[in-house]
Amino acid sequence: MENPADFPKPVFIRKGLCRDTPQLIYINVVNNARTELNLEQYFDGISKSLSNAKDLFDDAEILFNLERYQRAYTLYQLSIEEIGKASLIYSFVLDKDYNNENEFKVFKKSFLSHKQKTVSSNGIDLIFSFLNNDVRIKKKLIYQYFLFDKHLSQLNDYKNRSLYTDISNNKFISPKETITKEITDEIKFVAEIRLNVAKVFLKVGMEEFDGIKKASKNLDTQSIIDNPPEEIIEFIKLKYGIELKKD
């Protein structure tokens, strides 16, 4: 029979649990566990993220048509974040060693970050600008990418304000006073473009993964630096105010 004296005495701390309690030990073990995922499982994660992004967008459309713009805004933004998840997964398996435990931990942290998901989704605009031959649309997409990158924290604020009553300058503000139809129209436009582009781009990316991964390893980065594409030149001009001239 076990001797109770052999077990550590429970220790209670204010506003929390002792690091030796079973609950916290369980949490730490789960957080530090490394699930061995193969490539097909990562691809499944991409497909499920895109499917959920489509569901969120469709639900947002229902609310938008009912003129419930504040809640529609929330779902459009969440759809964008799910698109970012799919993009994050693909970038991870393409660029990193997904069997490496440390690489996986960094990826998981980004995967759970609202900011990183939005940043990742933002890159879809830049990808689409490379694929589009219409100069007017190309510049609009690059400018859109720049604006989202610049106002990233505001996007998250809007998401919160679309749900909750806020307080600012000693005044209570309801979601209806902050999130207008015009603001919701803007994020709807962005979500729709990113969803449609991501579905096609990531579908091809998964189907042709081996060839793309091989090509990415043989990418001549110096030639890109020496002769940057027009899209990169335009983006650097917007973001940093620097005009690059090609030779």
Side-chain angles (χ1 to χ4, degrees), residues 42 54 56 75 86-87 92 97 108 110 112 122 133 151 153 166 173 178 189 198 210-213 223-225 228:
Y42 280 109
K54 176 67 165 59
L56 287 164
L75 295 184
S87 181
F92 175 61
D97 176 8
K108 186 177 178 182
S110 296
L112 298 175
N122 199 17
N133 293 322
H151 300 296
S153 60
D166 194 17
I173 304 171
T178 303
F189 173 77
D210 291 339
I212 293 171
K213 191 170 182 70
S223 66
I224 296 174
I225 292 170

Side-chain angles (χ1 to χ4, degrees), residues 130 220-233 236 244-247:
F130 277 86
D220 186 355
T221 54
Q222 189 58 50
S223 66
I224 296 174
I225 292 170
D226 294 338
N227 296 286
E230 293 294 337
E231 293 84 359
I232 299 298
I233 293 173
I236 290 174
L244 299 180
K245 293 184 179 179
K246 294 181 105 174
D247 295 334

Side-chain angles (χ1 to χ4, degrees), residues 152-182:
L152 199 59
S153 60
Q154 184 185 64
L155 289 172
N156 198 56
D157 286 343
Y158 275 173
K159 182 175 69 176
N160 290 331
R161 291 178 182 178
S162 69
L163 289 171
Y164 309 115
T165 299
D166 194 17
I167 185 168
S168 178
N169 297 322
N170 296 319
K171 179 182 177 183
F172 290 102
I173 304 171
S174 73
K176 288 183 179 180
E177 293 175 286
T178 303
I179 308 300
T180 63
K181 179 180 182 297
E182 290 70 30

Side-chain angles (χ1 to χ4, degrees), residues 17 21-33:
L17 294 169
T21 59
Q23 182 181 349
L24 204 53
I25 289 172
Y26 170 78
I27 292 170
N28 286 332
V29 169
V30 170
N31 285 341
N32 293 323

Side-chain angles (χ1 to χ4, degrees), residues 78-205:
L78 292 177
S79 176
I80 286 172
E81 290 184 16
E82 281 293 279
I83 296 164
K85 272 187 180 180
S87 181
L88 273 173
I89 298 171
Y90 189 79
S91 296
F92 175 61
V93 295
L94 182 67
D95 299 332
K96 305 295 182 182
D97 176 8
Y98 56 83
N99 290 315
N100 182 287
E101 185 174 350
N102 291 328
E103 296 279 18
F104 179 80
K105 286 180 180 178
V106 174
F107 157 74
K108 186 177 178 182
K109 185 176 180 181
S110 296
F111 187 78
L112 298 175
S113 163
H114 292 291
K115 181 178 180 180
Q116 286 303 119
K117 286 182 285 190
T118 306
V119 168
S120 180
S121 176
N122 199 17
I124 299 291
D125 293 343
L126 205 55
I127 291 169
F128 191 33
S129 73
F130 277 86
L131 302 175
N132 202 298
N133 293 322
D134 188 314
V135 176
R136 182 182 60 83
I137 295 176
K138 188 186 291 284
K139 288 194 172 186
K140 183 175 181 179
L141 287 166
I142 295 169
Y143 186 63
Q144 179 174 286
Y145 175 94
F146 165 73
L147 284 180
F148 261 71
D149 185 61
K150 184 178 180 181
H151 300 296
L152 199 59
S153 60
Q154 184 185 64
L155 289 172
N156 198 56
D157 286 343
Y158 275 173
K159 182 175 69 176
N160 290 331
R161 291 178 182 178
S162 69
L163 289 171
Y164 309 115
T165 299
D166 194 17
I167 185 168
S168 178
N169 297 322
N170 296 319
K171 179 182 177 183
F172 290 102
I173 304 171
S174 73
K176 288 183 179 180
E177 293 175 286
T178 303
I179 308 300
T180 63
K181 179 180 182 297
E182 290 70 30
I183 289 174
T184 308
D185 268 326
E186 290 175 8
I187 201 162
K188 173 184 176 179
F189 173 77
V190 172
E192 188 167 18
I193 285 181
R194 291 186 186 176
L195 181 60
N196 290 330
V197 173
K199 283 192 297 186
V200 175
F201 178 76
L202 292 174
K203 181 176 183 293
V204 173

